Amino acid sequence: MAIQNINVNISRGQVIVLCGKSGCGKTTVTKLLNGLIPHYIDGKLQGSIILNHQDISSLEIHEIAKLTGSVFQNPKTQFYNIDTDSELVFTVENFGLPSEEILARKKAIVKQFNLQTLLERNMFHLSGGEKQKIACASVAIHDPPVIILDEPSANLDQDATTQLKEMISLWKSQGKTVIIAEHRLHYLQSLADRFILMKEGKITQTFSQIEMVQMSNEDLNLLGLRAIHMEKLVPKQTPSLKLDSCFKVDAFTYDNHDFHLNIKELDLPYPAVLAITGPNGAGKSTFAKSLTGINKRSSTTLHMNNIKYKKKQCLKISSIVMQDVHHQLFTESVLLEILLSMPKPNEEKALELLALLNTIAFKDTHPMSLSGGEKQRVAILSAIAADKQLIIMDEPTSGLDFHHMKQVAHSVNILRKQNKQVFIITHDPELISVCCDGMIELAHGNIKNITLFNNQRK
């Protein structure tokens, strides 16, 4: 991504939000600030970047690391250890701090981030939101003057987002400069000093906190931005939802290390789009994977439209978009990725699908070179191309702007019209408001509540 004519002064103690459509250059700016460009990512850099009164072009990468702390859009890419305790102290150990100070900082950061339940855990057993919390804490522990966050709320539940907001507020009160590339703006409306809107690598507008709050959700949407007034999001309804129980899940359990999932018999409408919600670590992804037959320790039986499907059959009729889409991108181009998923490869239909989510311009691009949001859209299209009866989407709007979130919602509505059963694991109330027929709320491995909206979307 090329960026041009970026000229910004950020004072000590300010919270600045970089916003705009996916691929507008937000992440590129963050990589310039933390030194990844040009130390690790090639490119022609003109101009200067002054960080804490120092031109970073004259600094080594380890010197920049002491001035900044970065949380990437995919926190998994910045982990070096397999257990949470080691990951929390990894940075300060590398800085050679005395063991007594390392332990003191660990104790303080655990308290600040409320991480007691995440200590002594295997990193591979954490949910996406829990990994995000560990990443934020491991960055804050070395007390850098500048903190850079790339989509930090993407996989966080409401409580965790509130904790993130409180931490940003604490950093601000400590005089730290916080720079956030973000699509979900609602939790930042009372914190950010400025919202910098980017488009095609350029800064197009800058809004003060007051100017941002005074805009309606509709005004923000016209700019390609997400809503900030969550209380005004109301599910749109039409009179066509069939409440007959056509999708049934037999009772099942799942045990894995320190987590237990216990699901009682479920009767749900079919075809329908149902959101799976709940706090991080509640078992949402485990529940969804059990429906598809992926989990070895659970034997799930589904009844869909009066047809019974046992575990092996569930695998054949299911398609899943994972939270970490890197696990399901295999080919050397986006077009080949779609063709690979199709039961009978058809390039014409594949191109039509790419147009559905505005990705046709990337058809010859290697999937791993795309932005996080663009990879997410390719994974969603691959699941649609697979033409399975049951589709699971795990945080499909993570890293997506308003426009592409609406495109995902549109594709989901198309799937419903094709009589597909869709479950969406999400913390995104905006997505729920535009395409979901109901919510299944999980807590501690159990179903806490099921809410069906009165009617079905168009």
Side-chain angles (χ1 to χ4, degrees), residues 75-98:
K76 182 181 176 182
T77 60
Q78 65 189 94
F79 293 145
Y80 292 88
N81 300 276
I82 62 172
D83 67 283
T84 54
D85 292 59
S86 297
E87 189 61 40
L88 284 173
V89 300
F90 180 76
T91 302
V92 285
E93 284 182 333
N94 275 275
F95 287 158
L97 298 183

Side-chain angles (χ1 to χ4, degrees), residues 155-184:
N155 300 315
L156 299 185
D157 61 39
Q158 184 174 349
D159 289 341
T161 301
T162 299
Q163 291 174 14
L164 173 64
K165 178 182 176 180
E166 292 171 350
M167 182 52 58
I168 295 171
S169 180
L170 175 62
W171 288 333
K172 186 174 182 177
S173 69
Q174 294 171 341
K176 296 183 184 299
T177 301
V178 185
I179 300 165
I180 309 167
E182 183 66 283
H183 287 304
R184 297 177 184 177

Side-chain angles (χ1 to χ4, degrees), residues 15 23 66 83 174 210 224 258 265 314 320 325 347 385 440 442:
V15 175
K66 292 182 178 180
D83 67 283
Q174 294 171 341
I210 294 175
D258 54 353
E265 185 176 277
C314 289
I320 187 166
V325 295
E347 185 168 334
I440 301 172
L442 272 71

Side-chain angles (χ1 to χ4, degrees), residues 15-20 180 182-198 205-229 232:
V15 175
I16 302 297
V17 180
L18 304 173
C19 51
I180 309 167
E182 183 66 283
H183 287 304
R184 297 177 184 177
L185 307 176
H186 61 91
Y187 73 99
L188 295 168
Q189 58 179 300
S190 62
L191 275 178
D193 296 282
R194 280 180 288 164
F195 293 82
I196 297 175
L197 178 63
M198 297 186 65
Q205 290 176 271
T206 299
F207 301 98
S208 68
Q209 181 185 107
I210 294 175
E211 290 172 332
M212 201 71 172
V213 172
Q214 287 178 342
M215 281 194 282
S216 66
N217 287 340
E218 291 73 20
D219 290 337
L220 292 165
N221 295 162
L222 289 174
L223 292 171
L225 301 179
R226 293 296 204 100
I228 62 174
H229 306 291
K232 295 183 180 180

Side-chain angles (χ1 to χ4, degrees), residues 20-71:
K21 292 183 178 181
S22 298
C24 70
K26 302 186 300 295
T27 298
T28 301
V29 171
T30 65
K31 290 178 179 177
L32 282 165
L33 294 173
N34 62 24
L36 289 179
I37 300 174
H39 286 280
Y40 284 105
I41 300 173
D42 291 333
K44 185 178 180 181
L45 176 61
Q46 294 180 325
S48 58
I49 302 166
I50 308 300
L51 193 64
N52 207 28
H53 306 295
Q54 299 180 74
D55 190 332
I56 65 172
S57 64
S58 65
L59 302 177
E60 297 293 335
I61 190 69
H62 68 272
E63 294 175 308
I64 300 174
K66 292 182 178 180
L67 297 175
T68 65
S70 297
V71 177

Side-chain angles (χ1 to χ4, degrees), residues 82 127 148 165 198-199 287 301 329 362:
I82 62 172
S127 69
I148 302 165
K165 178 182 176 180
M198 297 186 65
K199 182 180 180 180
F287 170 66
T301 301
L329 298 175
F362 310 134

